[in-house]
Amino acid sequence: MTLDFERDGAAHLAGAAAPFLARLHALAAVLPAGRAGLRLHGVEGLAELLALDALSAMAAGYLGPSARPVRAIWFDKSAANNWALGWHQDRTIAVRQQADFPGYGPWSTKQGLLHVEPPFAVIEAMVTLRIHLDPVPEDNAPLLVATGSHRLGRVPEAEIAAAVTACGTVMCLAEAGDVWAYHTPILHASAASSAAGHRRVLQLDYTTFDLPAPLEWLGI
């Protein structure tokens, strides 16, 4: 099934990261292993990687030329480091400092980085790219998305299961070097992997939105 980014909320960009796959492997080599989801900030070489024209153009294709990365998360599922993730929406952003501002909260700290839940319009203005370093067939924990759920707004926890059923779901299968793009508020999940190898993904959130002062995106 071919997904349409605006209609379904996600799109498969086959081979889009292949030209810089070697640089992604070099980045992976310096990251700590055994972490379910490692939030990246200030990692040597990451900003230079994200500045590559081929990668910048992907985000710009969805958000326009002012698109910029504001968060990076590294996932490395393997037989020794396996997990499942239930259906949810991404609802928090990483910021530089805490400040009281209407509509922003609650606050939390994740791996030493300050996060806050903003007004949902901020999330709706974002796009997420998932760059695959390894093949992701059905047995290697592909991302599951509920098609069209990006148009539902903020879905209360008690209504997520019904929304997923109503929307229907798709598995985001991939080859090494593929990219999946999706509207950040889309409902998504993943199962534990039953494959023997790795399922490494660099996940990047992009926006063109400036936060109200004194709030600032943490960035990369």
Side-chain angles (χ1 to χ4, degrees):
M1 177 180 181
T2 300
L3 299 187
D4 177 80
F5 187 74
E6 293 305 326
R7 180 194 66 212
D8 301 310
H12 183 202
L13 309 177
F20 49 91
L21 194 55
R23 293 186 65 165
L24 286 163
H25 280 282
L27 176 67
V30 303
L31 297 177
R35 303 290 293 272
L38 181 64
R39 286 163 171 78
L40 305 182
H41 178 67
V43 174
E44 184 176 355
L46 179 60
E48 292 78 9
L49 175 63
L50 300 192
L52 292 175
D53 289 345
L55 187 51
S56 297
M58 282 184 247
Y62 297 113
L63 291 175
S66 60
R68 64 188 187 278
V70 291
R71 182 166 61 180
I73 305 177
W74 173 253
F75 298 105
D76 184 4
K77 266 185 195 181
S78 66
N81 183 39
N82 209 350
W83 70 90
L85 193 61
W87 288 99
H88 68 286
Q89 289 175 306
D90 291 337
R91 295 177 177 171
T92 64
I93 59 174
V95 296
R96 290 189 179 276
Q97 71 284 323
Q98 184 168 344
D100 291 331
F101 199 91
Y104 285 76
W107 293 81
S108 59
T109 300
K110 303 177 182 181
Q111 297 174 1
L113 304 179
L114 189 63
H115 285 68
V116 66
E117 184 171 331
F120 203 67
V122 175
I123 303 296
E124 291 175 316
M126 297 171 68
V127 165
T128 299
L129 302 180
R130 285 173 60 90
I131 305 174
H132 291 271
L133 281 73
D134 305 296
V136 184
E138 291 186 17
D139 66 350
N140 201 17
L143 187 74
L144 309 172
V145 297
T147 51
S149 61
H150 62 297
R151 297 191 299 269
L152 299 179
R154 189 184 189 282
V155 182
E157 294 291 335
E159 299 176 15
I160 286 179
V164 170
T165 299
C167 290
T169 64
V170 170
M171 287 190 294
C172 299
L173 306 180
E175 297 294 336
D178 286 2
V179 177
W180 273 93
Y182 61 86
H183 284 275
T184 303
I186 200 168
L187 286 164
H188 58 285
S190 69
S193 176
S194 57
H198 286 266
R199 193 221 62 175
R200 293 170 296 174
V201 174
L202 177 62
Q203 179 173 301
L204 305 168
D205 292 336
Y206 285 82
T207 191
T208 61
F209 190 96
D210 289 325
L211 298 177
L215 295 173
E216 295 180 77
W217 297 96
L218 177 62
I220 303 301

